[in-house]
Amino acid sequence: MGFKRLFGIGDPDESVEVDTQIPGPVYPGGEVKGGVFLKGGSRDMPVEGVYLRFTVRYVNYDNEEHDYQFQNASAVTYGSTLSTSFTLHKGAEERLTFSARLPWETPVSELGGRALGVVLSVKTRLRRDWNDDGTEVDNDLLHISALPLHEAVLDAFAEEGYYCDSAHVVHSYIPDTEQSHGFYESFVLTDRAPAPGRPEQLEVVFQTNVVGALIHVRRAALDVQSWDRKPPARRFPAAHHEVGQVDWHPRIRKVLEELALLDGH
């Protein structure tokens, strides 16, 4: 992202430059690795720790934007001795590294190289002593690529006429399922081959884990947040190892037929 000069961390003479970098690609369930580069100001400055918060933005019931933290990491000095605390000397450069395993529930921001509208961030905080809560010194967008399973299933939906236009994050739980975080990502699919009995739009949710995903499909109700108040959903399982081995169309057609029957009641 390029160095960002920081003022307001104590004395302006102690201002430092910070750049947090994450080389891609990064996937849900995968390890994210990167570096934090610091350049000292006009005097030595003690650093007790550099910490990173991984967040995703959602809109709540009052239509206000909030950030949900779903992972964190500590940056350590680069070299033979790994430590979170050090002294950033006058005018010196310091390279720190970090790594963290992302949850499988991490939302994706890109599908086939196309942005979906989901905003994820890495927020870097610098703490100068144990009595300091830390100051946010860098805020970078985090790009998360879709898994092969996402790509394969959504491609199959497209072949059935439903193309993914966007995605958004909902701050809610899906009842009676295993869910570690208080949000889920909803992919919005629009029908490009309208016919009687077919919903105009679908919401598709992947509840992903190490084995695969439980895929929920329902007629879209984008103005409703509560899962129970949305139209009924139908679901089917999909495994990571099935990508390239399985024809998804029978499962998708069955779900679409069931949704049509629900709409007919």
Side-chain angles (χ1 to χ4, degrees), residues 127-145:
R127 177 189 287 181
R128 296 201 301 164
D129 57 57
W130 286 113
N131 295 320
D132 177 20
D133 291 334
T135 301
E136 187 173 303
V137 294
D138 203 4
N139 188 342
D140 298 279
L141 290 177
L142 177 62
H143 302 285
I144 304 293
S145 299

Side-chain angles (χ1 to χ4, degrees), residues 124-186:
T124 306
R125 299 184 69 85
L126 186 149
R127 177 189 287 181
R128 296 201 301 164
D129 57 57
W130 286 113
N131 295 320
D132 177 20
D133 291 334
T135 301
E136 187 173 303
V137 294
D138 203 4
N139 188 342
D140 298 279
L141 290 177
L142 177 62
H143 302 285
I144 304 293
S145 299
L147 290 164
L149 184 60
H150 292 119
E151 299 271 6
V153 172
L154 292 175
D155 281 349
F157 268 102
E159 291 171 5
E160 295 293 332
Y162 285 96
Y163 290 79
C164 181
D165 291 325
S166 63
H168 59 277
V169 172
V170 181
H171 187 217
S172 181
Y173 282 93
I174 301 175
D176 303 320
T177 63
E178 295 183 4
Q179 187 175 344
S180 300
H181 298 279
F183 64 81
Y184 62 84
E185 181 175 23
S186 181

